[in-house]
């Protein structure tokens, strides 16, 4: 399939009602994400086509491109420039998960983006920081991260604040020695305290999130013992 074929298929899959719902949440895509993934499977990895899709600027085409790019081809500066032109949280998150995390420049970009005042660039940096807290914490100064979260999260723009809050929760969940402080920071800042959670889902308010995940871990240990 060439660019014209793919854009025609995306147009056929588009749903204006879905686009309107997503717009209210700050996003812009109108194609069901499951359908996007199915289309990506048909295209397979095609870096040239993905580049063409990205350059259209179309939200659906760019989401699809993140699934078709060859991440290791990019330089750090290319990825940096692309992140800085992203205008929607969903696209940013897909770009981080599907492209940046599979590239050769994760740590360099994490450091470059984490302290950005930009809502979405900062979100990218804290998303990568959270991933490192979970998977590769060695070498991270976790108390310093808590210092920064305590000082900056309350006034951070919403998309960045969400990722900082996730990082706060993961530090508390995975580090018993820092758990009380992480929960105290969450209690004092009250970020996402009143955020609605669907039935059966853990609220994103960090103290509740930490307590629930630790409870589950302890219950699992008890069952395993």
């Amino acid at each position: 399939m060439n660019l014209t074929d793919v854009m025609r298929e995306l147009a056929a899959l588009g749903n204006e009602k879905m686009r309107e719902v997503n717009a209210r949440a700050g996003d812009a895509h109108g194609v069901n994400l499951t359908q996007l993934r199915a289309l990506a499977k048909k295209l397979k990895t095609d870096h040239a086509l993905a580049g063409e899709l990205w350059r259209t600027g179309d939200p659906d085409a760019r989401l699809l491109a993140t699934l078709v790019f060859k991440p290791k081809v990019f330089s750090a500066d290319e990825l940096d420039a692309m992140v800085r032109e992203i205008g929607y949280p969903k696209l940013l998150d897909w770009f981080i998960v599907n492209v940046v995390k599979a590239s050769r420049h994760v740590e360099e970009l994490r450091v470059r983006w984490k302290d950005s005042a930009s809502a979405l660039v900062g979100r990218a940096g804290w998303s990568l920081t959270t991933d490192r807290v979970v998977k590769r914490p060695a070498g991270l100064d976790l108390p310093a991260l808590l210092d920064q979260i305590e000082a900056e999260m309350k006034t951070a723009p919403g998309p960045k604040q969400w990722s900082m809050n996730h990082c706060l929760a993961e530090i508390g969940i995975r580090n018993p020695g820092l758990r009380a402080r992480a929960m105290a920071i969450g209690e004092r800042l009250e970020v996402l305290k009143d955020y609605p959670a669907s039935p059966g889902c853990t609220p994103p308010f960090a103290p509740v999130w930490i307590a629930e995940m630790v409870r589950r871990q302890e219950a699992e240990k008890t069952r395993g013992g």
Side-chain angles (χ1 to χ4, degrees):
M1 296 175 73
N2 59 30
L3 178 63
T4 301
D5 295 331
V6 176
M7 295 305 293
R8 186 181 298 118
E9 184 151 352
L10 287 174
L13 293 172
N15 182 306
E16 287 307 311
K17 186 173 182 180
M18 180 182 294
R19 201 178 303 279
E20 291 171 8
V21 170
N22 289 330
R24 289 197 289 273
D27 284 306
H29 57 285
V31 176
N32 177 279
L33 299 181
T34 300
Q35 293 176 314
L36 265 180
R37 291 187 181 95
L39 179 54
K41 283 185 178 181
K42 288 200 298 183
L43 297 175
K44 301 181 181 179
T45 300
D46 189 331
H47 193 75
L49 176 59
E52 291 183 296
L53 289 166
W54 188 267
R55 288 189 289 273
T56 67
D58 177 81
D60 295 308
R62 284 189 159 187
L63 281 169
L64 179 61
T66 70
L67 300 171
V68 183
F69 275 130
K70 187 179 290 184
K72 288 185 170 55
V73 170
F74 288 111
S75 70
D77 287 343
E78 287 172 326
L79 294 172
D80 180 71
M82 293 168 80
V83 157
R84 291 178 190 279
E85 66 181 43
I86 290 174
Y88 308 105
K90 179 62 70 176
L91 177 57
L92 178 86
D93 293 345
W94 274 41
F95 189 78
I96 294 300
V97 169
N98 298 318
V99 182
V100 175
K101 287 184 181 180
S103 78
R104 296 175 287 112
H105 312 290
V106 176
E107 183 61 13
E108 177 183 346
L109 293 172
R110 181 189 76 81
V111 174
R112 192 185 298 193
W113 293 336
K114 181 172 70 70
D115 298 329
S116 173
S118 162
L120 291 179
V121 177
R123 179 186 180 96
W126 280 95
S127 174
L128 294 178
T129 299
T130 303
D131 192 62
R132 186 165 167 194
V133 166
V134 172
K135 297 177 181 177
R136 300 177 305 280
L140 276 180
D141 188 340
L142 297 180
L145 287 178
L146 290 179
D147 289 343
Q148 185 174 2
I149 291 168
E150 186 170 23
E152 299 176 11
M153 184 171 72
K154 183 74 171 180
T155 57
K160 181 178 179 181
Q161 185 185 73
W162 186 272
S163 285
M164 294 179 82
N165 183 72
H166 187 186
C167 190
L168 174 65
E170 292 292 357
I171 291 172
I173 292 164
R174 296 169 187 279
N175 298 276
L178 296 172
R179 186 169 297 149
R181 185 179 174 209
M183 294 180 77
I185 290 171
E187 291 286 0
R188 187 174 70 78
L189 298 184
E190 298 186 334
V191 168
L192 300 176
K193 184 175 183 178
D194 299 320
Y195 192 88
S198 302
C201 294
T202 303
F205 181 46
V208 175
W209 188 352
I210 294 168
E212 174 58 19
M213 296 308 295
V214 171
R215 183 196 67 77
R216 293 183 190 180
Q217 290 171 359
E218 293 302 319
E220 186 66 27
K221 288 179 184 176
T222 300
R223 285 196 295 272

